[in-house]
């Protein structure tokens, strides 16, 4: 099957979160299954230097966005596993400091930037059997294909990675589609009078998936549906939850350039070295106190406000350490900074983005905290399972699908019933109680042996494509 993946992020070239890892992991797994996979994504600043063998691909891409016309070009590279990469160059749109924002503000022309990408992808689509688009940034492709009037159009799949981001903007922006206004209707991209990129995809994609079975159940309800639950309900016959896989080639403790020592479930001595390395790195005393780790986008979704409050209490009460890495919201970063100032011997926090440090925290901490308000899938909890770092998670979305609570015979972590400061504090206390015990060693080892690779999930995507 010829499959085109269209995405605004692709690891290792561009990443702000799990989307980049997911599309890279899925594309690699499908290629290994013998499928012919191409990934189309923007040529952001810095990518050209990372992929020196880029070759121009096809004619120039000349596309209207409303009354203006923009010119771009595809650049092609082939990875050693046979995966084809197509990077869309358009200097004005993609050669910028951030993927979606600078200095905390989203770029005002994000709708134009990703409409350009979507139109360029739609032009390529005829060469493929299936076009798989991800999130709002490429969700317009199915509708553009339908509106193109071509007799033969490929099948389309839209994956929702996070319903909180819909690409919503004022209705006048619809002119950048260059479609007649009769396409701006409530069975398409119109949403309470505004233009909604994701909704266009929800109506026009042949199939819709999201990134865990539990989130698929949640988002057809008003509590998690972000106003689109009705649309999702109307498409339930073609809507599936498929759990994301982990790329264990990237995320493992045995062969990992970022870790101070390697280890596995049979010999955990290297994990101690990783903990000491992390303590030294953050200038914390080297000791065996329980250490809690976090790597996260700093966003409302992730419950960082609740985490800061719970930490503020437990740090006074118990001899524990916390190390965090995150970027995003300034207010949330400030809360974590002030914890570091109040408890300099117990707290380390780095405000920024660093892949190496993400691995080091996953490996060095004893517990990994994810108090998300909602979590479509979540990858970090699966990484922490493999790294022998017991996850403490709120019981929502993919977190429920992947972590078994300590009350369970097959426990792999601690799962909150609801997200409150008190509940999170209780699970911190529980974690302190079991720290170093036989019970915690069993939980940790069970987690390390759990399998969340792409094998099963990539086959589910194949069945969906078929
Ligand atoms: P989301 O996509 O909602 O941010 P996921 O858990 O699916 O959440 O994926 C997050 C991914 O981004 C993980 O690979 C995580 O390690 C990485 N990540 C998040 N924040 C940072 C950061 N500040 N530095 C490095 N990696 C980060
Ligand atoms: C989104 C979600 C996250 C998911 C990731 C990859 O960013 O917030 O839960 O793991 O996409 O699908």
């Amino acid at each position: 099957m010829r499959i085109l993946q269209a995405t605004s992020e692709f690891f290792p070239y561009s990443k702000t979160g799990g989307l980049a890892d997911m599309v890279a992991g899925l594309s690699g797994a499908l290629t290994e299954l013998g499928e012919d996979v191409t990934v189309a994504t923007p040529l952001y600043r810095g990518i050209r230097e990372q992929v020196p063998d880029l070759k121009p691909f096809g004619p120039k891409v000349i596309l209207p966005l409303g009354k203006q016309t923009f010119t771009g070009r595809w650049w092609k590279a082939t990875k050693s596993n046979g995966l084809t990469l197509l990077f869309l160059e358009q200097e004005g749109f993609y050669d910028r400091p951030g993927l979606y924002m600078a200095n905390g503000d989203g770029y005002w022309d994000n709708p134009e930037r990703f409409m350009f990408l979507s139109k360029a992808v739609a032009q390529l689509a005829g060469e493929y059997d299936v076009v798989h688009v991800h999130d709002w940034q490429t969700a317009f492709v199915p509708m553009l294909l339908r509106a193109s009037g071509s007799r033969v159009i490929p099948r389309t799949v839209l994956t929702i990675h996070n319903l909180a981001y819909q690409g919503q903007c004022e209705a006048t922006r619809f002119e950048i589609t260059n479609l007649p206004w009769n396409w701006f209707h409530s069975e398409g991209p119109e949403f309470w009078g505004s233009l909604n990129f994701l909704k266009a995809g929800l109506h026009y994609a042949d199939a819709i998936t999201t990134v865990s079975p539990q989130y698929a159940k949640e988002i057809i309800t008003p509590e998690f549906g972000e106003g689109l639950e009705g649309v999702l309900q109307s498409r339930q016959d073609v809507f599936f939850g498929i759990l994301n896989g982990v790329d264990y080639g990237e995320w493992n403790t045995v062969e990992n350039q970022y870790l101070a020592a390697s280890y596995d479930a049979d010999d955990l001595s290297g994990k101690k070295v990783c903990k000491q390395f992390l303590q030294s790195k953050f200038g914390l005393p080297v000791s065996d106190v329980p250490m809690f780790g976090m790597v996260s986008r700093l966003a409302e979704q992730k419950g960082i406000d609740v985490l800061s409050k719970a930490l503020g209490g437990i740090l006074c009460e118990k001899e524990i350490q916390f190390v965090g890495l995150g970027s995003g919201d300034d207010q949330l970063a400030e809360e974590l900074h002030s914890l570091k100032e109040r408890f300099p011997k117990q707290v380390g926090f780095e405000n920024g983005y660093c892949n190496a440090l993400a691995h080091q925290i996953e490996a060095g901490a004893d517990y990994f905290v994810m108090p998300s308000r909602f979590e479509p899938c979540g990858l970090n909890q699966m990484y922490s399972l493999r790294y022998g770092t017991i996850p403490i998670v709120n019981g929502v979305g993919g977190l429920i699908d992947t972590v078994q609570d300590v009350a369970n015979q097959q426990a792999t972590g601690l799962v909150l019933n609801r997200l409150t400061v008190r509940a999170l504090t209780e699970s911190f206390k529980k974690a302190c109680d079991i720290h170093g015990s036989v019970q915690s060693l069993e939980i940790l080892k069970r987690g390390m042996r759990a399998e969340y690779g792409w094998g099963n999930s990539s086959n589910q995507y194949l069945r969906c494509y078929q």
Side-chain angles (χ1 to χ4, degrees):
M1 208 183 308
R2 298 204 68 196
I3 302 161
L4 179 64
Q5 303 281 342
T7 176
S8 60
E9 296 186 26
F10 190 73
F11 183 82
Y13 309 108
S14 52
K15 168 167 168 175
T16 67
L19 168 66
D21 291 7
M22 185 280 189
V23 187
L26 173 62
S27 304
L30 289 169
T31 307
E32 264 172 40
L33 289 174
E35 303 303 327
D36 181 353
V37 186
T38 298
V39 177
T41 192
L43 185 78
Y44 296 111
R45 181 173 295 177
I47 293 182
R48 187 178 286 286
E49 292 70 33
Q50 286 182 65
V51 198
D53 56 346
L54 283 178
K55 306 261 179 328
F57 175 79
K60 278 186 184 166
V61 179
I62 303 170
L63 291 167
L65 294 177
K67 294 190 180 65
Q68 278 181 286
T69 298
F70 294 84
T71 304
R73 168 172 286 295
W74 289 106
W75 292 85
K76 178 174 167 175
T78 308
K79 289 192 85 164
S80 53
N81 62 359
L83 182 68
T84 304
L85 302 178
L86 292 179
F87 292 101
L88 181 62
E89 178 184 38
Q90 211 300 326
E91 257 180 48
F93 284 151
Y94 310 127
D95 185 12
R96 298 189 185 182
L99 265 52
Y100 312 123
M101 55 167 68
N103 308 320
D105 289 323
Y107 295 124
W108 70 271
D109 58 351
N110 278 339
E112 285 75 11
R113 298 172 72 221
F114 293 107
M115 184 58 75
F116 187 77
L117 174 65
S118 300
K119 286 188 173 185
V121 166
Q123 276 191 335
L124 295 176
E127 299 298 312
Y128 299 87
D129 302 309
V130 172
V131 178
H132 185 166
V133 302
H134 299 265
D135 273 350
W136 75 264
Q137 289 89 345
T138 49
F140 241 105
V141 173
M143 179 170 155
L144 292 171
L145 289 173
R146 196 72 67 84
S148 71
S150 301
R151 259 191 330 116
V152 188
I153 56 175
R155 291 306 172 116
T156 54
V157 178
L158 164 65
T159 294
I160 304 165
H161 293 261
N162 193 333
L163 201 59
Y165 302 97
Q166 299 180 5
Q168 205 174 317
C169 52
E170 61 278 25
T172 49
R173 240 47 188 263
F174 183 75
E175 72 166 31
I176 64 178
T177 64
N178 296 85
L179 295 175
W181 274 89
N182 59 6
W183 282 88
F184 185 70
H185 53 71
S186 62
E187 298 286 293
E190 189 272 341
F191 185 59
W192 301 109
S194 10
L195 172 62
N196 186 312
F197 277 53
L198 189 67
K199 187 164 172 279
L202 294 181
H203 279 288
Y204 285 98
D206 291 307
I208 302 165
T209 72
T210 191
V211 289
S212 69
Q214 176 64 23
Y215 191 60
K217 287 185 209 148
E218 289 170 353
I219 58 180
I220 53 171
T221 68
E223 189 185 354
F224 292 99
E226 306 276 352
L228 291 174
E229 59 276 9
V231 182
L232 284 163
Q233 283 162 16
S234 74
R235 304 237 43 215
Q236 250 190 316
D237 52 331
V238 290
F239 175 42
F240 316 100
I242 303 177
L243 191 72
N244 282 339
V246 171
D247 182 350
Y248 288 123
E250 280 298 322
W251 292 91
N252 74 81
T253 57
V254 181
E255 254 177 55
N256 188 324
Q257 54 170 324
Y258 305 118
L259 301 190
S262 54
Y263 60 94
D264 60 24
D266 296 321
D267 177 6
L268 288 162
S269 50
K271 183 157 173 69
K272 273 203 176 121
V273 180
C274 292
K275 182 169 176 180
Q276 290 163 358
F277 172 89
L278 194 60
Q279 289 169 323
S280 310
K281 184 153 189 157
F282 279 98
L284 300 174
V286 172
S287 81
D288 191 33
V289 298
M291 184 198 259
F292 297 82
M294 176 214 80
V295 178
S296 185
R297 286 187 294 114
L298 302 180
E300 153 96 5
Q301 171 193 350
K302 303 291 181 179
I304 308 296
D305 50 334
V306 179
L307 174 65
S308 302
K309 288 197 187 83
L311 280 172
I314 193 89
L315 282 159
C316 298
E317 235 181 274
K318 297 260 184 199
E319 206 186 326
I320 61 158
Q321 294 177 344
F322 170 82
V323 288
L325 164 67
S327 59
D329 185 274
D330 287 342
Q331 169 67 31
L332 295 172
E334 188 42 47
E335 286 173 25
L336 292 167
H337 259 306
S338 64
L339 278 177
K340 180 177 155 180
E341 274 165 19
R342 269 175 70 202
F343 305 97
K345 293 221 160 61
Q346 287 172 276
V347 175
F349 171 60
E350 176 132 336
N351 183 2
Y353 183 90
C354 176
N355 188 42
L357 188 54
H359 284 263
Q360 289 156 1
I361 292 177
E362 286 281 8
D366 298 302
Y367 298 94
F368 193 90
V369 200
M370 288 181 78
S372 307
R373 290 196 161 80
F374 64 94
E375 195 59 78
C377 178
L379 296 171
N380 278 308
Q381 81 283 9
M382 294 193 272
Y383 301 156
S384 71
L385 286 172
R386 180 51 58 99
Y387 282 51
T389 304
I390 298 175
I392 300 178
V393 303
N394 187 26
V396 288
L399 299 174
I400 293 198
D401 287 334
T402 50
V403 183
Q404 306 278 333
D405 182 51
V406 64
N408 203 298
Q409 283 246 318
Q410 293 302 311
T412 53
L414 287 85
V415 182
L416 274 64
N417 287 330
R418 54 193 271 261
L419 182 64
T420 61
V421 175
R422 181 190 281 193
L424 187 54
T425 307
E426 285 309 312
S427 47
F428 284 153
K429 285 186 183 160
K430 176 83 188 165
C432 292
D433 291 345
I434 62 170
H435 182 61
S437 67
V438 175
Q439 186 192 9
S440 90
L441 196 63
E442 277 173 3
I443 295 176
L444 177 159
K445 288 193 175 181
R446 198 176 293 119
M448 287 185 90
R449 294 193 173 115
E451 274 299 330
Y452 289 107
W454 267 106
N456 187 20
S457 304
S458 56
N459 274 300
Q460 288 185 55
Y461 275 105
L462 260 188
R463 279 201 292 280
C464 168
Y465 299 158
Q466 275 154 1

